[in-house]
Amino acid sequence: MNFKKENILIVDDDIHVLELLKRHLQSMQYYTFKAVSVKEALSILKSNRIDLLITDIKMPDVDGFELMKYVSEHYPSMPILVISGYVSAKEALEMGKSGVIDYLVKPFTKDELKTSVSKSLSGPSQQHPREVTTTAYNFRELVGNSPALNQIKEIIHRVKDIKATVLIQGESGTGKELIARAVHYNGKFSRKPFIAVNCGAIPEDLLEAELFGYEKGAFTGANDTREGFFQAAEGGTIFLDEIGNASPKVQNSLLRVLQEKEVQKVGSQKSTKIDIRVIAATNSNLANAIKQGKFRQDLYYRLSVVEIMAPPLRERTEDIAPLAKLFLQKYAMEYKDRSMTIGSDTLEILERYNWPGNIRELENCIQRAVIMSDGEIGPKQLPDMFKFQINFPKDGIKSLAEKEKEYIQQVLDLVENNKTKAAEILGIDRKTLRAKVG
Ligand SMILES: Nc1ncnc2c1ncn2[C@@H]1O[C@H](COP(=O)(O)OP(=O)(O)OP(=O)(O)O)[C@@H](O)[C@H]1O
Ligand SMILES: [Mg+2]
């Protein structure tokens, strides 16, 4: 089926309503996610890009209003459509405050649904289009219990409520952005914006205008005065991803912003004060870039008041199993509508692999395994490269000399330390044996 690009999350405790809505929406070519409770809805929201929320109001445990409140705070640009039995005036008023665009009273026809959905999707939304992401994350979402990750959680705890700059370094896919979000969303500025800017994705000549805004007429095409990412993040956090790719000109401007705490729009003579926390991330080696004269050392110092090193996954193998299980639940629910399991032998294979693409690679691997599997995930569902892996022991790969020593010791133990016998079995003379045992 050819789906439209919109993802719709439907939340209702009545599975018959859910099923019906799903069928209707799919026949309109929307992609759907279902949740029977607010709790389930939250976990779907955190790991998927949702374009429209359709929710019931009366649900056991946590009701639809709580969900609406959460969504309007954390995903302010997400439209909400309410489906409900009788709606009281008070409830209608509450809904208005939560940014609900439309509501449908049950029972409704397919045509009424269609009209409301397209109205909601084209309603007042998208406050921060462009490169901005507004997904929220919680601390508990940093899955893993390795000493390295726990140390990172400790740093997050210390910096979440202050505005010191944070520099996160690490290989691709190690969770740098998730760490940045955890700093923001766990702190007291979490209700203010978190604006993520990929410095590597914006064309170099536009980056300055995008970051700091511009005045009308500042350059060809600047038909209006416009705010930049820095102004949009006022009071909150700006996340400068791939900072290593910032041009010398942008580096100069950033240094100024950090020193003076004010920004100047492109083409303007006036500076304005800003109150903002800057978190930067890079997977390139900034120390090398500084040596090569490509990155300003003074800017590096300004950005790295607090430094976080996101270690590669192969250096925290304890985190592999919990992460694999997390992704397994996520994709099993998404693709198969149920939970799935993974065998301990398969987890061991995953733990032995060196994961050059880190957590993102692990996620892709599990995603694929879920698609390829009908029940438990076994070694068969892993990509081919795992099949050719030698079964290296968990404690790492040993050198020949180490292995030799180990073997000699085993033989010596077997013959109760009788060196003549051992030398005979090993096919070497006693002198060589003595030299090798050391
Ligand atoms: N500790 C964690 N717990 C759960 N999910 C994680 C964790 N760390 C990373 N992830 C997930 O792994 C993926 C990659 O993380 P993220 O995008 O933060 O990495 P990155 O370091 O910014 O990568 P890149 O350098 O490629 O941009 C994301 O889907 C993220 O949600
Ligand atoms: Mg990233």
Side-chain angles (χ1 to χ4, degrees), residues 31-49:
Y31 196 88
T32 55
F33 292 79
K34 295 184 298 183
V36 290
S37 66
V38 170
K39 197 166 151 235
E40 202 182 320
L42 293 184
S43 88
I44 294 174
L45 280 169
K46 280 171 194 157
S47 41
N48 297 281
R49 184 184 57 84

Side-chain angles (χ1 to χ4, degrees), residues 141 143 172-178 283 323 326 359-360 363:
E141 272 219 60
V143 168
S172 182
T174 46
K176 296 184 294 295
E177 179 158 352
L178 202 62
N283 58 20
L323 281 166
L326 170 83
I359 300 167
R360 183 168 297 116
E363 180 166 359

Side-chain angles (χ1 to χ4, degrees), residues 175-223:
K176 296 184 294 295
E177 179 158 352
L178 202 62
I179 293 170
R181 287 176 187 278
V183 171
H184 177 82
Y185 285 106
N186 285 290
K188 60 180 183 194
F189 315 116
S190 65
R191 301 233 168 148
K192 301 282 180 175
F194 174 92
I195 306 278
V197 187
N198 187 337
C199 302
I202 303 171
E204 200 178 289
D205 51 340
L206 286 183
L207 187 54
E208 218 187 343
E210 288 285 344
L211 286 175
F212 311 118
Y214 50 81
E215 288 289 334
K216 187 174 174 179
F219 47 85
T220 335
N223 300 327

